[in-house]
Amino acid sequence: ALIAREGAWLRSVADQTPEAALDNAMLLTSDTPASALRQAKRRVALLTGLLDLGGVWSTMEATQALTRFADFAVWQAARPLIAREVAKGNLDAGADDTAGFCVLAMGKMGAGELNYSSDIDLICLFDETRYAPDDYATARMAFLRVTKGMVRTLADVTAEGYVFRTDLRLRPDPSVTPVCIAMEAAERYYESAGRTWERAAFIKARACAGDIAAGEAFLDRLRPFKFRRHLDFAAIRDAEEMLDKIRTHKGLSGKMSVAGHDLKLGQGGIREIEFFAQSRQLILAGRDASLRGRGTLTVLAALAAAGRITPARADLLATSYLRLRDIEHRVQMLDDAQTHTLPKLDTQRQKVAALDGQASLSAFDAEIDALLREV
């Protein structure tokens, strides 16, 4: 469907390098961000999928390309809304035209590891130090409008589809706080009431749009919250309980079967490898700065280099992680569905195997079964 719709564009970039073609895909050809970004999303997904299936890009190069587009899309959705509020006198653009608005990418987006069908987890903040006390309330309301408008641009389903499903629920106390809050208020929350799962979430956090410098400075101030110098084994028990609750809630415990297996949350899946890396970061990275990376593969390599795990174990988990992410991508290519579950029907799972370059379903199933059990 994407080739049929974007075939002319694809031919126009056929003689370009992959990187140049990706740049071209993100050229917005309309003054309407909602429409332009949806077209760009189609082109980025098509290009990335072809380069991925063709073996031109590795799994992680594909995820990095998708993440790069997400960063771009978030800012392109927010930028005209900020400009509108500046024109109305509600915000001060400043030298960088961001007005102090900053978006933090969390989870896979923060780590540069987005899937084809990932939603994006964001925290929206503003730098209150840019505004005098008398202007604070006006600015705060303007930033709320910017954030809500940005999410509509990205997430509303139109005749042209959507750009990204967008989740703002990782912000401090989302049931009572607005969708965009002052950095100082967020700092107070994490210092006084931040929980273990929030510490784990912030390990991958990255300023992705708007006032990047203010965002990275905010994350730097949160470092003592994320990485504590004392050994915090209670935090690991909390995280293990969270993992168990997820499995129980989604019915993922019990006998393992490749058919219908959740590659992300199921036994031996992607989340277990990520948890293995992050749990050791929570314990050790307060004293060892070399373990403070965002990406799962980076952290596994750092753990091995620091002598915290054996090189063989790091290699097994890294290789398994890449393979699971690769298969996860093939599953999502079937229907552009936000799923991580291998189809139960053999006929559908055969399509996943074919996208993976394997003719034998039994061989494919046996490989995945062995991999999950090893993890």
Side-chain angles (χ1 to χ4, degrees):
L2 285 176
I3 290 175
R5 188 162 187 177
E6 297 294 342
W9 171 80
L10 190 61
R11 286 189 291 273
S12 75
V13 299
D15 61 346
Q16 297 182 8
T17 65
E19 292 71 24
L22 181 63
D23 289 341
N24 185 284
M26 292 192 292
L27 292 175
L28 302 186
T29 58
S30 166
D31 292 333
T32 307
S35 177
L37 286 171
R38 281 157 179 75
Q39 180 187 67
K41 172 68 178 292
R42 293 194 300 270
R43 293 176 175 180
V44 169
L46 174 59
L47 178 70
T48 305
L50 292 173
L51 293 169
D52 181 2
L53 288 171
V56 178
W57 276 351
S58 68
T59 301
M60 300 316 293
E61 285 174 321
T63 67
Q64 287 158 11
L66 295 168
T67 304
R68 180 184 162 199
F69 173 68
D71 289 356
F72 170 81
V74 167
W75 181 235
Q76 292 304 314
R79 185 171 55 85
L81 300 170
I82 293 172
R84 183 185 305 167
E85 296 292 343
V86 169
K88 291 179 178 178
N90 297 324
L91 295 177
D92 177 8
D96 57 3
D97 291 329
T98 68
F101 182 70
C102 175
V103 183
L104 302 182
M106 310 295 287
K108 282 185 167 58
M109 183 177 173
E113 299 173 347
L114 279 184
N115 301 323
Y116 289 101
S117 298
S118 287
D119 58 3
I120 54 175
D121 295 299
L122 307 175
I123 294 178
C124 297
L125 306 168
F126 66 94
D127 180 3
E128 74 287 345
T129 64
R130 287 201 184 198
Y131 295 91
D134 289 347
D135 298 327
Y136 177 87
T138 298
R140 177 176 174 274
M141 293 305 297
F143 285 123
L144 292 180
R145 289 190 292 271
V146 168
T147 302
K148 292 175 182 177
M150 178 192 77
V151 170
R152 285 194 297 271
T153 298
L154 295 171
D156 280 0
V157 180
T158 71
E160 296 180 277
Y162 63 94
V163 187
F164 287 103
R165 291 174 291 263
T166 305
D167 194 336
L168 303 179
R169 289 175 295 175
L170 288 181
R171 70 185 184 275
D173 207 356
S175 63
V176 297
T177 56
V179 292
C180 184
I181 63 175
M183 291 182 177
E184 192 268 340
E187 281 183 64
R188 284 203 316 270
Y189 168 82
Y190 291 118
E191 288 172 358
S192 62
R195 291 160 287 182
T196 299
W197 70 264
E198 289 170 312
R199 287 179 57 204
F202 265 94
I203 287 175
K204 292 185 177 182
R206 173 178 60 86
C208 71
D211 191 340
I212 301 292
E216 289 299 331
F218 169 82
L219 292 174
D220 190 58
R221 293 192 296 273
L222 282 193
R223 187 177 296 141
F225 165 68
K226 291 186 290 183
F227 302 119
R228 295 176 179 171
R229 294 193 59 80
H230 61 280
L231 298 179
D232 191 359
F233 290 98
I236 304 311
R237 287 195 296 272
D238 289 346
E240 286 175 338
E241 288 175 5
M242 284 191 296
L243 195 61
D244 288 341
K245 286 178 181 177
I246 289 171
R247 280 187 178 162
T248 301
H249 174 67
K250 293 186 174 290
L252 299 172
S253 299
K255 186 177 180 181
M256 188 164 63
S257 171
V258 172
H261 191 79
D262 190 317
L263 296 169
K264 179 180 179 181
L265 299 176
Q267 297 176 72
I270 293 165
R271 182 58 55 83
E272 288 203 340
I273 300 173
E274 292 173 339
F275 176 78
F276 181 93
Q278 281 191 310
S279 61
R280 281 146 185 81
Q281 285 182 288
L282 287 173
I283 295 175
L284 301 166
R287 297 184 178 188
D288 186 346
S290 72
L291 304 179
R292 296 176 185 172
R294 292 185 175 110
T296 302
L297 299 179
T298 300
V299 176
L300 289 171
L303 286 166
R308 301 296 185 174
I309 59 174
T310 65
R313 176 164 290 185
D315 183 63
L316 184 152
L317 290 174
T319 302
S320 299
Y321 183 77
L322 287 170
R323 188 73 181 112
L324 288 168
R325 292 299 304 272
D326 205 31
I327 300 301
E328 180 187 41
H329 282 178
R330 304 296 171 259
V331 169
Q332 293 179 348
M333 285 178 178
L334 290 182
D335 297 303
D336 187 31
Q338 189 186 20
T339 182
H340 315 277
T341 302
L342 283 164
K344 289 185 177 181
L345 292 176
D346 288 357
T347 52
Q348 289 296 99
R349 213 163 58 261
Q350 180 70 66
K351 293 179 182 179
V352 178
L355 284 169
D356 189 50
Q358 298 195 47
S360 169
L361 178 60
S362 60
F364 174 80
D365 283 353
E367 180 206 350
I368 300 305
D369 181 76
L371 185 155
L372 293 168
R373 293 181 189 280
E374 268 196 313
V375 172

